[in-house]
Amino acid sequence: MILSRIQPVKQNQLKKKNLINWKKSKNSMRDMMDPVQYFTIKHQQLQDLKKDSALSVIRNKGLEAFTRLGIPTLKHEEWKHTRISGLFNKDFEFAIDQAVPSLSDQEIKALRLPGHEVANEIVFVNGCYSPSLSRISTGDHQLRIVPLEEAARNEYREFVSKHLGHSGNYLKDGINALNTAFAHEGVFIHVKKGHAIEYPIYLYHITDSRTNNNYSQVRNLILVSELAQVQIVQTFGTIGPLESFANEVTEIVAERDSITSFYKIQNENSNANLVSTTHIHQIGKSQTHTVTISLDGGIVRNNLNIVLDAENCESHLCGLYLIKGQTHVDNHTTVDNVKPNCFSNELYKGIMDEQATGVFNGKIFVRPQAQKTNAYQSNKNVLLSNKASVNTKPQLEIFADDVKCSHGCTVGSLDEEALFYLRSRGIGEKKAQSLLLHGFAADILEDIKIKPIRDYIDHLITERLEYEES
Amino acid sequence: MLTIRNLHAGIEEREILNGINLEIKAGEVHAIMGPNGSGKSTLASVLAGREGYTVSRGKVDFLGKNLLELSPEDRAREGLFLAFQYPVEIPGVSTTNFIKTALNEIRKYHGEDPLDAVGFLKLMKERMKLLQIDQSLLSRSLNEGFSGGEKKRNEIFQMIMLQPKLAILDETDSGLDIDALRIVAQGVNQFRSKENGILVVTHYQRLLDYIVPDFVHVLYNGRIVKSGTKELALELEEKGYDFIKNTTSETEPA
Ligand SMILES: Nc1ncnc2c1ncn2[C@@H]1O[C@H](COP(=O)(O)OP(=O)(O)O)[C@@H](O)[C@H]1O
Ligand SMILES: [Mg+2]
């Protein structure tokens, strides 16, 4: 697959051409630029590079919204526990074209997920789709992968213009707008009508921070057509010791009688920051399953929106954040019941150790016409240290009268009775603790239906919990 | 095997056990009976090492070790077992995995190699039959959603899997119908041997028809006020606990 794009500009040329530094601390005030200014210039460069792009219009709208909204601060209601603005004060390099480092297969080997031998692998490096590192095993007649720019002009044109940017109706902040302002190097994935894709799709978001702090963005759009079934796994990886910051948005459209599973795995290091948005629009009676697993990272913000826009839709939302150190994980979820008779079930669990902080915000909207909605939500948290914390907030806005909705959240420490029970059988305290925590996380793991992925996560969790033993 | 001398223990400021004296030798089955609130579970908890209790006086020797100095897990590894009056539900941890972990932790403590999956399953299958426990129960989360009877049977199953030296059964009979009671008693009697000691804590005499004790003690207000043989249990059953309440304590602590 060849990307039709303008000739890539070499990294060093780009630097010379665009002598702008984004808050280089050692430089004088003159060089210091405010993020809005910086991105406005970058945006202009991109638009100049891609004059005839079908995505120009939406990018302009994105920039307009971004300049209006700015980077969210703690004053923004949806960001009051996640200090994202601090990240923009650092000196990041942001590539707006394909001048991305070429990684070898070897270099990304460590990031590959189990089951990759058969999976359809799509690799993004520094926010850009890399056809050479990607491997699509499923045939074109079942699964099509097209660069987003191309999809915006070819037979998918109408679909793209209708659905790209739908998340902006829900995420009214500068972060989402910023992603839109630079939407260009992502992909459009089409799971074709009537096909149950045998092998899962693995999406790798890789950031290269070997020589510079790196800021990157990806914008993807996925269409799961009528009667189609697909499993998608998304993961993130940073190569190199410096900081990375990825702002990724994936919009999914699910048609009638389709089944979509979407698994997100976050297990980077404290230098890797992430805003990851998954927006699922169920436009026909369909089923979706999402599992979000956050095990490590710096600042991680997940937005998950489920728009139930047809009768009899079903959605399962699961999440696990098992974090320590200074890691901050914020899960913001929205289930919007637009049409009647939909079912949603949400369960998020958190385990916070050391100084880790968790945030859970779960919105359920039931529109006036969405009678017979069944919506359940639960968030359970365990704090393992007195410096760890979590903020949990259910937010139900129900405008219909014939609905069943429930929500609940708990924050606690490990159950002493349970701990004693295990110890009284000869199981050491640390091991008893890890068994209990593993048990606490178990029902989330069970929701991962790809066995090698489930085993892998299980292994990571076990390792992590046992590691805490020492 | 177990020697309790003048044990005083309680929760916070409140003293619940007021000088317990008890000696259990290998091969013996002792029963402790007493009205609700007399301190039976407290005694069992203090012996097993549950947190929250303070021992203000007294000593407990278990197989030559100062029991009260050991962590709960080390007590278990040394051979003490408590069948809980209220077994705890543990979501997400299967009974099989739990017992296997416990067994191997105990083996490790004694310098033995862990049992592998095959060896463990074989042992488990053998002993499951005895308590008429179904495989499906063991693969479920520990005690979660188990009926009262299933929980108690599971406690005894754990006991025969772990093969302790001294088993304390805290009201294992409560909530059991007669069939379940028989099965549980059968498990206990199978465990009973010249090497093992058993302390049966019960409110009712009924269980003692099936697990016949060598000695019976009556606990009242945190003290053993009367000791005797199995006939004492029958007498209690007949006359009720009022008969104890009316007699003053006969066994003063030394
Ligand atoms: N956790 C506790 N906190 C305060 N008092 C307790 C606690 N557990 C037991 N007690 C008190 O200690 C006494 C003995 O209780 P327990 O040992 O459970 O009696 P038994 O098992 O003989 O019915 C009772 O008066 C009970 O109320
Ligand atoms: Mg009791």
Side-chain angles (χ1 to χ4, degrees):
Chain A
M1 215 166 302
I2 303 293
L3 274 171
S4 52
R5 56 183 152 72
I6 63 134
Q7 207 50 32
V9 183
K10 288 262 158 32
Q11 193 82 12
N12 49 3
Q13 289 178 339
L14 188 79
K15 271 198 177 151
K16 233 177 265 157
K17 227 168 67 179
N18 317 309
L19 259 181
I20 44 169
N21 285 316
W22 172 11
K23 292 243 173 177
K24 257 215 178 351
S25 48
K26 61 178 180 344
N27 291 9
S28 64
M29 277 301 289
R30 199 186 38 188
D31 291 347
M32 283 177 68
M33 224 180 265
D34 135 297
V36 173
Q37 228 180 324
Y38 173 83
F39 284 114
T40 304
I41 295 169
K42 277 282 191 185
H43 176 82
Q44 197 49 55
Q45 287 171 5
L46 176 67
Q47 296 295 63
D48 289 349
L49 283 171
K50 308 200 167 199
K51 279 209 177 64
D52 309 319
S53 166
L55 295 173
S56 282
V57 176
I58 184 168
R59 282 198 293 260
N60 278 335
K61 280 190 195 156
L63 188 80
E64 181 276 317
F66 172 68
T67 24
R68 184 162 38 83
L69 298 164
I71 305 287
T73 63
L74 297 186
K75 286 190 199 114
H76 192 295
E77 183 58 26
E78 304 302 332
W79 289 89
K80 64 179 178 190
H81 300 297
T82 299
R83 190 185 294 276
I84 201 78
S85 55
L87 292 175
F88 287 93
N89 291 333
K90 290 179 185 153
D91 175 32
F92 280 101
E93 183 165 286
F94 174 41
I96 52 161
D97 61 13
Q98 283 271 303
V100 294
S102 52
L103 293 172
S104 67
D105 259 7
Q106 202 56 33
E107 279 163 320
I108 62 165
K109 199 175 169 194
L111 301 171
R112 288 210 137 93
L113 294 171
H116 66 86
E117 301 83 356
V118 294
N120 293 291
E121 294 188 291
I122 301 178
V123 179
F124 302 89
V125 180
N126 291 353
C128 299
Y129 170 50
S130 164
S132 63
L133 293 173
S134 302
R135 272 179 225 147
I136 313 302
S137 52
T138 301
D140 243 13
H141 62 294
Q142 295 191 22
L143 180 67
R144 241 188 111 189
I145 290 139
V146 186
L148 191 60
E149 287 270 12
E150 195 180 311
R153 301 192 240 100
N154 70 11
E155 70 264 34
Y156 295 115
R157 184 178 57 234
E158 267 177 47
F159 179 84
V160 172
S161 81
K162 185 164 177 201
H163 292 281
L164 191 71
H166 196 257
S167 61
N169 300 340
Y170 290 80
L171 302 165
K172 299 191 190 308
D173 62 48
I175 293 286
N176 185 264
L178 183 58
N179 182 288
T180 307
F182 290 89
H184 67 120
E185 288 288 359
V187 292
F188 170 72
I189 300 173
H190 184 195
V191 184
K192 295 202 171 171
K193 184 173 170 178
H195 290 288
I197 306 300
E198 186 179 358
Y199 299 116
I201 299 171
Y202 288 5
L203 301 172
Y204 297 96
H205 296 274
I206 298 169
T207 309
D208 177 5
S209 70
R210 283 175 300 190
T211 50
N212 288 298
N213 292 333
N214 198 297
Y215 176 80
S216 65
Q217 298 204 147
V218 181
R219 181 60 163 256
N220 293 327
L221 181 63
I222 301 174
L223 166 61
V224 186
S225 284
E226 290 175 15
L227 295 151
Q229 293 180 27
V230 67
Q231 295 177 308
I232 300 166
V233 184
Q234 185 183 40
T235 193
F236 304 83
T238 297
I239 296 175
L242 300 173
E243 286 214 35
S244 68
F245 178 13
N247 175 10
E248 170 270 331
V249 177
T250 297
E251 294 175 317
I252 301 173
V253 177
E255 289 187 344
R256 171 176 72 79
D257 296 312
S258 65
I259 303 177
T260 306
S261 302
F262 194 90
Y263 306 116
K264 190 179 288 196
I265 304 168
Q266 295 159 337
N267 187 30
E268 296 195 77
N269 57 50
S270 56
N271 286 330
N273 307 290
L274 189 58
V275 178
S276 173
T277 298
T278 306
H279 179 87
I280 304 181
H281 190 183
Q282 299 185 224
I283 60 170
K285 168 186 167 285
S286 54
Q287 268 187 47
T288 59
H289 303 257
T290 54
V291 184
T292 303
I293 308 277
S294 309
L295 301 176
D296 204 351
I299 295 174
V300 177
R301 163 66 171 254
N302 294 310
N303 296 310
L304 175 63
N305 302 332
I306 310 287
V307 184
L308 302 170
D309 205 356
E311 282 201 51
N312 298 303
C313 281
E314 187 177 321
S315 183
H316 299 262
L317 303 79
C318 282
L320 173 70
Y321 36 106
L322 167 58
I323 48 178
K324 59 177 183 169
Q326 313 260 16
T327 300
H328 175 88
V329 172
D330 174 349
N331 279 294
H332 265 63
T333 68
T334 299
V335 177
D336 184 11
N337 292 271
V338 181
K339 297 279 159 66
N341 282 307
C342 290
F343 172 91
S344 65
N345 195 6
E346 176 168 17
L347 175 62
Y348 270 69
K349 289 188 169 183
I351 301 172
M352 268 89 15
D353 200 358
E354 297 171 0
Q355 286 112 270
T357 49
V359 178
F360 174 81
N361 181 291
K363 293 185 182 64
I364 297 175
F365 298 134
V366 182
R367 309 265 188 117
Q369 67 278 15
Q371 298 295 357
K372 308 269 180 212
T373 288
N374 274 289
Y376 304 100
Q377 181 190 94
S378 169
N379 174 230
K380 297 181 177 167
N381 297 283
V382 176
L383 299 178
L384 296 178
S385 112
N386 51 15
K387 291 209 178 101
S389 67
V390 64
N391 265 291
T392 170
K393 185 179 171 196
Q395 212 175 318
L396 276 60
E397 294 182 23
I398 301 173
F399 300 102
D401 43 32
D402 185 14
V403 301
K404 281 197 195 118
C405 287
S406 75
H407 67 89
C409 54
T410 58
V411 179
S413 49
L414 265 189
D415 180 357
E416 289 293 328
E417 272 299 297
L419 204 54
F420 174 63
Y421 188 60
L422 299 194
R423 293 177 72 191
S424 80
R425 296 296 181 254
I427 301 172
E429 189 174 3
K430 292 291 177 189
K431 188 142 199 153
Q433 179 170 330
S434 88
L435 264 182
L436 286 180
L437 291 173
H438 197 278
F440 174 74
D443 49 357
I444 304 292
L445 288 183
E446 274 162 27
D447 258 66
I448 302 175
K449 303 297 181 200
I450 304 173
K451 191 168 183 302
I453 297 293
R454 182 176 61 243
D455 291 349
Y456 167 68
I457 304 291
D458 196 351
H459 170 78
L460 288 178
I461 289 175
T462 306
E463 214 175 36
R464 167 76 73 81
L465 294 172
E466 306 246 304
Y467 164 80
E468 273 163 17
E469 217 170 291
S470 55
Chain B
M1 121 184 310
L2 181 79
T3 312
I4 304 174
R5 282 204 204 293
N6 193 26
L7 181 67
H8 289 251
I11 292 175
E12 283 157 16
E13 297 301 282
R14 175 157 177 233
E15 192 151 278
I16 299 169
L17 302 178
N18 303 301
I20 303 273
N21 289 288
L22 182 66
E23 166 137 32
I24 301 177
K25 297 202 177 76
E28 294 178 351
V29 175
H30 289 241
I32 288 194
M33 299 182 72
N36 277 331
S38 57
K40 303 184 298 293
S41 292
T42 302
L43 176 61
S45 296
V46 169
L47 293 177
R50 188 194 291 269
E51 271 172 35
Y53 293 89
T54 40
V55 175
S56 48
R57 276 162 78 186
K59 265 195 192 157
V60 181
D61 178 283
F62 179 57
L63 296 166
K65 291 214 160 70
N66 179 353
L67 186 74
L68 301 176
E69 275 184 351
L70 301 178
S71 65
E73 52 269 37
D74 280 350
R75 296 179 197 205
R77 292 161 179 171
E78 289 290 341
L80 188 81
F81 181 91
L82 169 63
F84 281 50
Q85 180 173 2
Y86 304 108
V88 186
E89 300 196 1
I90 316 266
V93 179
S94 75
T95 306
T96 311
N97 185 24
F98 164 65
I99 299 179
K100 188 175 170 213
T101 307
L103 193 64
N104 283 334
E105 286 264 290
I106 294 170
R107 290 177 71 97
K108 191 166 84 188
Y109 182 77
H110 293 286
E112 298 165 49
D113 287 336
L115 268 190
D116 61 15
V118 177
F120 175 77
L121 279 176
K122 192 162 159 267
L123 188 71
M124 198 172 78
K125 286 239 160 70
E126 218 175 83
R127 298 189 177 166
M128 260 159 53
K129 285 196 207 104
L130 195 70
L131 285 157
Q132 302 183 17
I133 280 185
D134 197 62
Q135 177 75 57
S136 66
L137 193 77
L138 298 181
S139 47
R140 276 165 54 188
S141 286
L142 183 55
N143 293 325
E144 200 181 41
F146 286 23
S147 71
E150 285 170 338
K151 283 182 185 167
K152 296 302 175 80
R153 253 189 290 164
N154 189 17
E155 292 292 290
I156 301 305
F157 177 62
Q158 291 170 35
M159 178 188 78
I160 62 170
M161 284 299 290
L162 300 179
Q163 289 291 316
K165 300 201 175 78
L166 175 72
I168 303 168
L169 315 181
D170 191 2
E171 307 235 11
T172 299
D173 53 334
S174 65
L176 292 188
D177 62 29
I178 196 73
D179 293 328
L181 189 68
R182 278 209 188 94
I183 296 168
V184 160
Q186 206 183 339
V188 176
N189 286 326
Q190 196 267 352
F191 168 75
R192 191 170 180 170
S193 78
K194 282 208 286 290
E195 287 84 43
N196 295 332
I198 301 176
L199 178 61
V200 183
V201 173
T202 181
H203 188 75
Y204 300 105
Q205 186 270 339
R206 190 178 68 152
L207 178 67
L208 305 181
D209 286 341
Y210 299 93
I211 306 169
V212 182
D214 301 303
F215 301 97
V216 174
H217 312 275
V218 181
L219 190 69
Y220 182 61
N221 274 342
R223 269 174 195 232
I224 290 177
V225 292
K226 205 168 171 65
S227 294
T229 53
K230 63 175 190 277
E231 285 73 25
L232 177 58
L234 291 169
E235 195 181 349
L236 273 174
E237 180 79 355
E238 203 179 300
K239 299 183 180 166
Y241 283 113
D242 283 345
F243 135 79
I244 293 300
K245 292 177 191 169
N246 295 335
T247 59
T248 47
S249 59
E250 290 176 20
T251 36
E252 283 295 327

